[in-house]
Amino acid sequence: MKNILLPTDFSKNSMNAINYAMELFKDESCRFYILNVQKASSFISDDMMLVGSSATIYKTLIDAAKKSINNIISKVKEEKKNDKHNFYSIVDYDNFIDSINQVSEKHDIDMVVMGTKGASGLEKILFGSNTVRVMQRCKTPVLAIPEGCKFKVLDKLVFVTTNLKLFNIEDLKALNDMMILNNSFLHIVHLADQNHLVSDAYDNMEFFKTNFSEANHEFIDTNSADMFNTVHNYIVNNDIKMLAIMNKKHSFLERLFTTHTVEKFAFKIDIPLLVMQISN
């Protein structure tokens, strides 16, 4: 049975990610842990005036969040009617990233599924800041669902790698599970910038031949400024349904996403992004 963590701030965006997870894992036996993380600053003065003398601010916050999660669970159960899915409510009063890591460890979470925010108004970052921080610092694989993204059959996945270390199968377990779950065809793009040519990368080909023998390989030399364009064009040209990458501090994830503002691009990644963590 899979254990899936679904962080929510009760927004339309996070609800969309929850619905995506229900469809993605509809044929899997799953425990879904729906998590809301509260912080003191979210409790504004108007709310304080409504707190009765016998109640604490903390209890009022937690009770309201629990009620909201229970409403989500009731709605999902009614709409999906899936006997393979069990739901659990968690409300925490902590740092967002710390809470996700602690809950993931406690409940042996296999994957975190959460929504991303598109750029609008004054938001000039590709993904919501919370989602980026989770992808960078979470110890568990993270599946980020773009705003408004609806589930489609994941027949084509792409794993984009800079190949700067040798892989092991445990690091890529989430990708392998995703392929098995969806009977997906895997594309592997070996990407290198001007500082690391593809021909100089570690030889992972034996690893891929053993563990992903049917995958299609592309070797692309590019430059840092064009990495996003290169990946985006490959996704569009090959009708890719999900992008998967490995995360390492100060590595590909940062170069590919967090250093680029929306102004530099006329597009955004509009398919789910699976971020797996390098174990060493």
Side-chain angles (χ1 to χ4, degrees):
M1 182 173 284
K2 288 191 177 297
N3 297 320
I4 309 298
L5 180 59
L6 303 171
T8 182
D9 58 1
F10 309 119
S11 66
K12 181 179 178 181
N13 209 25
S14 64
M15 195 64 218
N16 181 63
I18 291 172
N19 285 324
Y20 189 100
M22 297 303 107
E23 291 298 316
L24 175 61
F25 296 108
K26 66 181 180 180
D27 296 323
E28 291 282 299
S29 296
C30 295
R31 300 184 188 92
F32 290 104
Y33 296 87
I34 303 181
L35 168 69
N36 175 253
V37 183
Q38 292 287 336
K39 55 183 181 180
S41 60
S42 67
F43 203 83
I44 58 176
S45 57
D46 287 346
D47 294 318
M48 291 180 184
M49 296 175 66
L50 300 176
V51 179
S53 57
S54 61
T56 64
I57 295 174
Y58 171 83
K59 186 177 185 304
T60 303
L61 259 179
I62 299 301
D63 288 348
K66 283 183 177 178
K67 183 177 180 181
S68 295
I69 293 178
N70 288 335
N71 287 341
I72 290 174
I73 292 173
S74 296
K75 182 179 179 181
V76 170
K77 282 184 173 179
E78 176 63 27
E79 290 180 355
K80 305 300 181 183
K81 295 182 171 62
N82 194 330
D83 292 338
K84 293 185 177 182
H85 293 172
N86 296 307
F87 298 88
Y88 303 89
S89 168
I90 303 175
V91 180
D92 202 358
Y93 199 78
D94 198 354
N95 171 277
F96 188 70
I97 309 298
D98 291 343
S99 178
I100 285 180
N101 280 329
Q102 289 165 11
V103 170
S104 296
E105 183 174 359
K106 179 179 179 180
H107 296 285
D108 195 24
I109 296 298
D110 296 296
M111 182 175 293
V112 178
V113 182
M114 61 187 299
T116 65
K117 293 182 179 179
S120 61
L122 297 177
E123 281 191 282
K124 298 299 182 183
I125 54 175
L126 189 63
F127 293 128
S129 57
N130 261 343
T131 308
V132 170
R133 286 197 294 270
V134 172
M135 288 190 293
Q136 289 173 327
R137 295 175 52 195
C138 185
K139 301 170 185 176
T140 304
V142 177
L143 181 61
I145 309 300
E147 189 171 18
C149 178
K150 304 303 180 186
F151 180 79
K152 297 178 182 178
V153 176
L154 300 177
D155 56 340
K156 296 180 182 179
L157 312 182
V158 63
F159 174 53
V160 179
T161 173
T162 52
N163 264 335
L164 295 181
K165 74 178 289 292
L166 290 171
F167 295 122
N168 66 68
I169 193 60
E170 281 305 309
D171 286 343
L172 294 177
K173 183 179 184 301
L175 175 62
N176 194 46
D177 288 350
M178 197 66 67
M179 289 175 58
I180 294 171
L181 178 63
N182 297 281
N183 194 26
S184 309
F185 181 76
L186 179 65
H187 297 247
I188 302 175
V189 174
H190 304 263
L191 197 64
D193 63 18
Q194 63 272 26
N195 298 314
H196 305 94
L197 295 179
V198 168
S199 58
D200 295 332
Y202 282 122
D203 184 9
N204 275 304
M205 292 311 298
E206 285 303 317
F207 169 83
F208 288 123
K209 285 178 183 177
T210 301
N211 296 286
F212 301 95
S213 58
E214 301 298 319
N216 175 66
H217 296 264
E218 295 280 349
F219 298 84
I220 304 175
D221 284 320
T222 182
N223 59 65
S224 294
D226 278 343
M227 271 193 174
F228 195 104
N229 292 320
T230 301
V231 172
H232 180 266
N233 290 339
Y234 191 91
I235 288 170
V236 172
N237 293 336
N238 293 278
D239 193 26
I240 300 297
K241 303 302 196 308
M242 179 178 288
L243 167 63
I245 62 176
M246 297 294 296
N247 177 41
K248 185 178 181 180
K249 193 174 182 181
H250 306 307
S251 183
F252 187 36
L253 180 63
E254 291 183 355
R255 300 209 308 277
L256 185 59
F257 293 103
T258 61
T259 60
H260 295 101
T261 58
V262 167
E263 289 91 340
K264 293 183 181 178
F265 305 104
F267 54 83
K268 65 179 181 179
I269 296 293
D270 56 2
I271 61 173
L273 169 63
L274 175 63
V275 179
M276 296 163 289
Q277 310 302 325
I278 293 177
S279 59
N280 51 49

